[in-house]
Every structure is written in C-alpha cells, then in structure tokens.
Amino acid sequence: MNNIDTDALATLIAIVDAGGFGAAAHRLGRTQPGVSNTIARLENKLGKKLIDRSRRGPHLTDHGELLIGYARRIVAIQDEALAALQPEALAGRVLVGMPDDYLGVFGTPLIERFAAQNPRIQVEIQCNFSSELEGSVDRGDIDIAIITRDVNSLAGEFLRHEPLVWCASPDASPELLDPLPLALFPEKSCRARPHIIDALDRAGRPWRVAWTSSHLPSIQTAIGLGKAVTALPASVISPMHRQLGSEDGLPELKPVELALLLPNGARAAVRRMATFIRAEFRASSRASTSLPL
C-alpha cells in the first residue's frame, strides 16, 4: 500500500460527522451502498476495521479513532491546495441553514449568485430557528448557517446588527387596539421575541398574543388580514408592510445580531461559501443598503 484514497477519507469523515452511513450519503449526494462500499474498500486496503456497525449505530474502532485525526488533516490540506491551484475546480454539496424570515433575502442570492460563480458546488437551503440551526451545525447535519444570535451568546462570527421594525397591514390599524394584538414566532424558538416583549413592557404598553406560528408566511397572513402587528428584521420589510414607530405609540426596538456559523475543519466548498457570505455583507455595508445580500 503506497497511498490512501482521499475520497475514502472524506467519506469516513462524513460518516463520523453526520452520525451514520445514511446521513453521510445524504450529505455527500451519494447512495448508502456506495458509501458502505467505499469504507469497505478502505478497510480492506488498510487491513484494519475502522467502523463497528453495531445495533447502537456505527462508531469508530480504535483504529478508526487513530485514523480520523489524520484523515481530517489530509483532506483539509488537499482542499486548501486545490482551492489555491484550481479555484474553478471546487465541487461538492453545501447545506446552508437560515431562519425562514431570511429566506427571500439570503436564499435567492446564495442559490443564484453563488451558484453562477461556483457552478460545481450544489447549494441546498434548510430553514429553521436559529437555536435549532446551532445544534445542526454542531452535529454536522448542515455545513454552515446564518443565524440570529442569542442575546447572551457570542456564537459564530458577527456579521452585522439587524434593526427590528414594527409593521402592520396598510389596510388596517391594529396598533390602535388595546391591548395591542401581536403576531409572533413561538416563545421558545424566536430570539427576536424577547426584544419585542421587553420593549412593550418597559414602555407600559399592554399587549396580547393574537397569532403564533413557526413560519413567516403564516405571520405575513396575520398581518395581511389586519389582525395583528409584528416586528420583523428590516431586511424582510416589503411594500406589503406599513411600518410603525413611536408616532404610533410603539417603542423603539433593540437590533438583533446576525452571525455566521462555520465549523472547524470545514471543507473547501464550505469555506468558499463562507467567503462569499462575508464579501456580500461587506459590500452591502459599503453600499449602505438595508439588504445584506
């Protein structure tokens, strides 16, 4: 044996990070039998069993534990070399997470502009709340994420402050009602919700939750029907919203922080995505626009 197939090492890493053969196959865009065959060939070549396929789920053997550290270093060095020498040859599949209220702002540019510049990198968007996305990145379920930071956390790489804006339907005036009817994301999941409630409480403005949903389109429906007011990130505000402020008896809201979650040892294609996101945010800051992408 003179060398080790780096694709096989990358497959081993994917199994460990994703937590199984099926999840690794999904991440790599391959079939589960194909992933199993790749590991079997690697084990045969090394003459060592690397993964114990028990009922409790696959886990590394002692030899697998020994190899995985080397595997990460080898694959990372190969990715860096290829990215430096053949940037046009970067290929793979990148799973990007973000809350769905940012989908229209971030999702389209990620798919369209990034894909145009990197045609061999397949981008897949997965939407969830920021708290869930943090866990998904940690587990390796997704490769990278744009999140709203928790107020007491410094998770991820700071991207920018995002203002929260009160809004309602152009055709109704729910802000005149007492108590104020609110359309909000769930209490346990939404990181902007504490900012909203705290501001109303400090201002002494009575409120009630009139509509709760885990999805932005449902919140938009409540606003469109004139049933409630809400507060959304400034970049999400559209002509269908009537912006509200202190003249409407609503308190000023603290901005939230957007951050980029990028795991250690990320693949070259994922690092390329991170570079793209950073560049887009920097460009938007220079242009002084409210849209980050």
Side-chain angles (χ1 to χ4, degrees):
M1 183 192 70
N2 296 319
N3 57 72
I4 301 177
D5 182 4
T6 52
D7 287 339
L9 295 179
T11 301
L12 178 67
I13 294 169
I15 293 169
V16 173
D17 290 348
F21 286 79
H26 179 71
R27 174 181 293 192
L28 296 170
R30 299 172 58 189
T31 65
Q32 185 168 336
V35 168
S36 297
N37 290 336
T38 296
I39 295 302
R41 287 195 298 270
L42 179 60
E43 289 177 326
N44 289 336
K45 187 168 188 178
L46 295 173
K48 307 289 184 182
K49 188 173 183 179
L50 303 174
I51 296 180
D52 185 0
R53 300 162 178 81
S54 69
R55 291 183 180 179
R56 295 181 291 107
H59 61 275
L60 292 175
T61 64
D62 290 343
H63 290 115
E65 292 283 1
L66 179 62
L67 179 61
I68 191 67
Y70 291 107
R72 293 188 188 280
R73 288 156 56 189
I74 291 169
V75 170
I77 290 172
Q78 175 185 257
D79 285 347
E80 291 175 6
L82 289 175
L85 296 172
Q86 297 179 318
E88 73 285 352
L90 277 175
R93 180 164 166 266
V94 179
L95 305 182
V96 185
M98 66 184 69
D100 73 347
D101 46 346
Y102 290 125
L103 182 59
V105 183
F106 303 151
T108 298
L110 284 176
I111 292 173
E112 294 182 354
R113 291 214 293 270
F114 179 82
Q117 298 172 20
N118 303 273
R120 299 188 63 196
I121 299 178
Q122 177 186 348
V123 180
E124 180 178 324
I125 306 293
Q126 294 189 9
C127 292
N128 209 332
F129 288 104
S130 295
S131 57
E132 298 295 330
L133 292 173
E134 288 185 9
S136 294
V137 172
D138 289 341
R139 294 189 302 269
D141 296 337
I142 58 176
D143 297 304
I144 190 172
I146 299 170
I147 65 164
T148 300
R149 268 181 175 171
D150 183 82
V151 66
N152 296 315
S153 171
L154 294 178
E157 173 186 335
F158 175 79
L159 290 173
R160 78 169 202 184
H161 287 99
E162 176 76 3
L164 289 176
V165 179
W166 292 107
C167 60
S169 168
D171 304 316
S173 300
E175 71 275 11
L176 300 179
L177 298 176
D178 191 16
L180 180 72
L182 299 175
L184 299 174
F185 292 111
E187 182 176 3
K188 293 183 179 180
S189 304
C190 179
R191 288 179 171 171
R193 181 165 169 156
H195 295 266
I196 299 168
I197 299 303
D198 180 63
L200 289 171
D201 287 343
R202 283 187 290 104
R205 179 71 190 267
W207 57 270
R208 68 180 181 89
V209 177
W211 194 292
T212 302
S213 177
S214 297
H215 303 287
L216 180 63
S218 179
I219 298 293
Q220 302 280 32
T221 296
I223 301 306
L225 292 172
K227 300 297 184 181
V229 303
T230 193
L232 294 173
S235 56
V236 178
I237 299 297
S238 73
M240 68 177 287
H241 300 113
R242 178 170 56 90
Q243 296 189 32
L244 305 171
S246 57
E247 66 277 9
D248 302 293
L250 294 174
E252 183 179 354
L253 296 170
K254 293 181 180 179
V256 294
E257 293 185 354
L258 300 188
L260 178 68
L261 294 182
L262 180 68
N264 294 327
R267 293 175 288 116
V270 179
R271 296 198 303 273
R272 174 63 63 87
M273 172 64 75
T275 299
F276 173 83
I277 292 172
R278 295 184 190 107
E280 291 293 318
F281 271 85
R282 285 196 298 269
S284 69
S285 296
R286 289 194 296 270
S288 298
T289 177
S290 64
L291 297 181
L293 291 176

